[in-house]
């Protein structure tokens, strides 16, 4: 978990970077497990030889939704936790763009910028985090997203 902080300090961070995660390798085993879970067996994800022959990627690539799905893992270790929050939930996304495919075996990391933090009630905070999933050695990120989280206070 990221560092714990009080709500007042968190609200002062709007417009600033909350952190950058550690690197995470998306390997073929994870891609295959995701294909099994989602029943998305397109060859560009699960057939390394065919993907090498028939695509411009040089091999298999992660599903776009797999790239999106690693964000919680990267966020848990990076994003601050809020003192007094009873729970926090994924509230959705306002915008997601998949910009660069993640090739099997590549490492990714996430960069989180707190764009907005709005008290919806005295016990509910809606936070919008501009999230970028970077690919090691690539000039363009895998994805950019406006990620929404709702924090509930006791």
């Amino acid at each position: 978990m990221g560092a714990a902080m009080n709500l007042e300090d968190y609200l002062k961070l709007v417009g600033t970077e909350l952190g950058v995660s550690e690197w995470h390798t998306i390997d073929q085993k994870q891609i295959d497990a995701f294909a099994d879970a989602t029943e998305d067996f397109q060859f560009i994800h699960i057939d390394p030889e065919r993907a090498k022959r028939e695509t411009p990627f040089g091999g298999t690539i992660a599903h776009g939704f797999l790239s999106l799905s690693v964000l919680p893992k990267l966020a848990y270790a990076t994003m601050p936790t809020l003192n007094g929050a009873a729970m926090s939930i994924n509230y959705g996304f306002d915008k997601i763009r998949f910009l660069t495919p993640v090739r099997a075996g590549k490492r990714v990391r996430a960069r989180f910028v707190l764009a907005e933090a709005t008290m919806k009630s005295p016990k509910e905070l809606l936070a919008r985090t501009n999230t970028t999933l970077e690919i090691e050695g690539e000039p363009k990120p895998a994805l950019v997203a406006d990620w929404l989280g709702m924090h509930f206070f006791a």
Side-chain angles (χ1 to χ4, degrees), residues 63-94:
H63 304 72
F65 288 135
L66 169 56
S67 299
L68 187 68
S69 295
V70 301
L71 291 178
K73 172 194 176 11
L74 302 176
Y76 289 137
T78 308
M79 300 279 279
T81 56
L82 297 172
N83 294 329
M87 70 175 168
S88 299
I89 63 168
N90 181 5
Y91 199 68
F93 294 88
D94 276 345

Side-chain angles (χ1 to χ4, degrees), residues 2 5 7 21 30 32 57 64-65 68-69 72 77 82 88 90 96 101 107 114 145-147 149-150 153:
M5 66 175 45
L7 179 58
S21 75
Q30 187 175 25
D32 291 342
F57 310 120
F65 288 135
L68 187 68
S69 295
L82 297 172
S88 299
N90 181 5
I96 303 167
R107 295 192 327 159
L114 183 60
D146 289 341
W147 191 5
M150 185 69 81
F153 295 87

Side-chain angles (χ1 to χ4, degrees), residues 91-119:
Y91 199 68
F93 294 88
D94 276 345
K95 178 182 171 184
I96 303 167
R97 296 292 180 264
F98 300 105
L99 303 174
T100 304
V102 178
R103 289 178 281 137
K106 291 294 269 185
R107 295 192 327 159
V108 296
R109 70 177 178 188
R111 185 173 302 275
F112 303 100
V113 175
L114 183 60
E116 292 179 44
T118 306
M119 296 303 299

Side-chain angles (χ1 to χ4, degrees), residues 11 13 33 38 58 75 114 133 138 150:
L11 294 173
L13 294 176
T38 60
L114 183 60
L133 188 67
E138 298 286 340
M150 185 69 81

Side-chain angles (χ1 to χ4, degrees), residues 25-40:
T25 302
I26 298 182
D27 59 17
Q28 190 62 51
K29 181 179 176 184
Q30 187 175 25
I31 294 169
D32 291 342
F34 192 84
D36 288 339
T38 60
E39 298 185 12
D40 180 350

Side-chain angles (χ1 to χ4, degrees), residues 4 7 19 29 43 45-47 49 57 60 65 85 87 125 145:
L7 179 58
K29 181 179 176 184
F43 82 93
H45 305 302
I46 62 167
D47 187 337
E49 289 306 314
F57 310 120
T60 53
F65 288 135
M87 70 175 168
L125 169 69

